[in-house]
């Protein structure tokens, strides 16, 4: 289910790692006045790249789950406006907007640099890991939203909740395993990095 998502997350993490190598060098030489300005600029650039990669993820996911090719409007449903609306909506698993969280993370990075006499590689790695977790969660959210959109555009009315069968599953998710829900009433995922998914339920003729 999340093969495309994992590949996207890997590419995103590679980009974050390269960007943070630059951020670390530059912030080390900036005065206090310019730290926040550069942190905001760096995160803004990263956000634009995340936006592009998550849009591609949504398009590919939608295409994979959209079995209908008859309605031309459907093929254009996932576009920049769609992805921006999702990035600015609240992910129910974490209760924040991705767009707002990226802004807050830029502020926290600047605060870390300003409050630490000599920030270490470990300090920057901590901030980098936090960013990676936030973007990884958003990639899962975008994948789920694209799947639901594809199902709706194909006339699917009901879906079945599928719980991952591994040691990390939580009791709540396990209690939902196999249950069928109207497509507009699928329960919110209860926690970060939930890998449960839904499959279309075929209506009886």
């Amino acid at each position: 289910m999340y093969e495309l998502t994992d590949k996207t997350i890997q590419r995103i993490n590679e980009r974050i790692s390269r960007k943070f190598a630059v951020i670390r060098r530059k912030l080390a030489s900036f005065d206090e006045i310019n730290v926040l300005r550069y942190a905001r600029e760096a995160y803004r650039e990263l956000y634009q790249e995340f936006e592009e990669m998550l849009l591609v993820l949504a398009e590919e996911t939608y295409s994979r789950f959209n079995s209908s090719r008859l309605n031309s409007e459907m093929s254009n449903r996932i576009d920049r406006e769609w992805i921006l609306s999702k990035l600015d909506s609240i992910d129910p698993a974490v209760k924040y907007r991705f767009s707002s969280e990226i802004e807050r993370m830029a502020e926290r990075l600047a605060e870390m640099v300003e409050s630490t006499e000599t920030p270490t590689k470990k300090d920057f790695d901590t901030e980098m890991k936090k960013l990676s977790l936030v973007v990884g969660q958003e990639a899962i959210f975008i994948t789920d939203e694209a799947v639901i959109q594809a199902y709706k555009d194909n006339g699917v009315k009901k879906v079945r909740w599928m719980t991952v069968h591994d040691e990390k599953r939580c009791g709540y998710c396990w209690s939902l395993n196999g249950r069928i829900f109207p497509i507009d009433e699928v329960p919110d995922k209860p926690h970060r990095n939930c890998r449960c998914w839904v499959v279309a339920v075929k209506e009886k003729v």
Side-chain angles (χ1 to χ4, degrees):
M1 167 62 185
Y2 291 105
E3 297 87 357
L4 291 174
T5 314
D6 289 337
K7 289 178 181 178
T8 299
I9 292 173
Q10 182 179 354
R11 290 195 295 271
I12 287 173
N13 285 338
E14 290 170 355
R15 181 65 192 108
I16 291 174
S17 180
R18 291 195 299 271
K19 186 66 172 179
F20 259 75
V22 176
I23 290 174
R24 184 185 174 197
R25 289 197 303 271
K26 289 195 173 184
L27 287 183
S29 62
F30 280 175
D31 57 41
E32 185 174 323
I33 295 176
N34 289 312
V35 166
L36 181 55
R37 178 187 61 79
Y38 179 72
R40 285 173 173 165
E41 179 183 313
Y43 271 71
R44 192 177 302 115
E45 291 173 356
L46 279 172
Y47 181 86
Q48 291 173 348
E49 295 184 37
F50 298 155
E51 180 188 307
E52 293 293 334
M53 287 188 273
L54 292 173
L55 175 57
V56 171
L57 170 63
E59 290 172 336
E60 293 180 353
T61 300
Y62 180 88
S63 178
R64 177 181 172 188
F65 287 87
N66 180 19
S67 60
S68 174
R69 299 289 181 249
L70 299 178
N71 191 332
S72 60
E73 293 181 2
M74 292 180 183
S75 63
N76 298 319
R77 181 63 63 90
I78 304 296
D79 55 15
R80 184 166 300 280
E81 183 178 345
W82 186 93
I83 197 71
L84 289 177
S85 71
K86 298 305 176 184
L87 296 180
D88 199 40
S89 63
I90 296 177
D91 177 347
V94 291
K95 312 301 183 188
Y96 60 61
R97 290 181 176 85
F98 180 71
S99 54
S100 300
E101 185 64 13
I102 295 297
E103 293 177 6
R104 286 191 288 269
M105 297 190 80
E107 305 281 338
R108 289 196 291 267
L109 176 65
E111 289 175 2
M112 182 273 289
V113 173
E114 291 174 345
S115 64
T116 307
E117 186 173 343
T118 306
T120 65
K121 182 178 183 300
K122 183 178 180 180
D123 292 325
F124 281 97
D125 284 349
T126 297
E127 297 303 311
M128 185 170 65
K129 183 177 181 181
K130 291 177 182 176
L131 179 59
S132 177
L133 289 172
V134 167
V135 184
Q137 170 61 33
E138 191 66 12
I140 294 173
F141 174 67
I142 291 297
T143 299
D144 294 340
E145 291 292 294
V147 169
I148 291 294
Q149 187 69 65
Y151 284 159
K152 286 183 176 180
D153 289 346
N154 279 276
V156 173
K157 303 298 183 184
K158 295 181 180 179
V159 293
R160 186 187 307 275
W161 181 287
M162 306 296 290
T163 299
V164 177
H165 287 222
D166 62 22
E167 68 282 355
K168 295 181 180 180
R169 68 173 182 259
C170 73
Y172 176 78
C173 289
W174 185 242
S175 72
L176 297 177
N177 187 47
R179 290 181 58 184
I180 295 174
F181 300 94
I183 197 165
D184 289 323
E185 298 176 22
V186 178
D188 293 334
K189 288 191 170 182
H191 56 79
R192 182 191 297 272
N193 292 328
C194 178
R195 294 239 164 179
C196 298
W197 73 102
V198 295
V199 296
V201 174
K202 294 182 179 179
E203 299 286 344
K204 293 182 180 179
V205 179

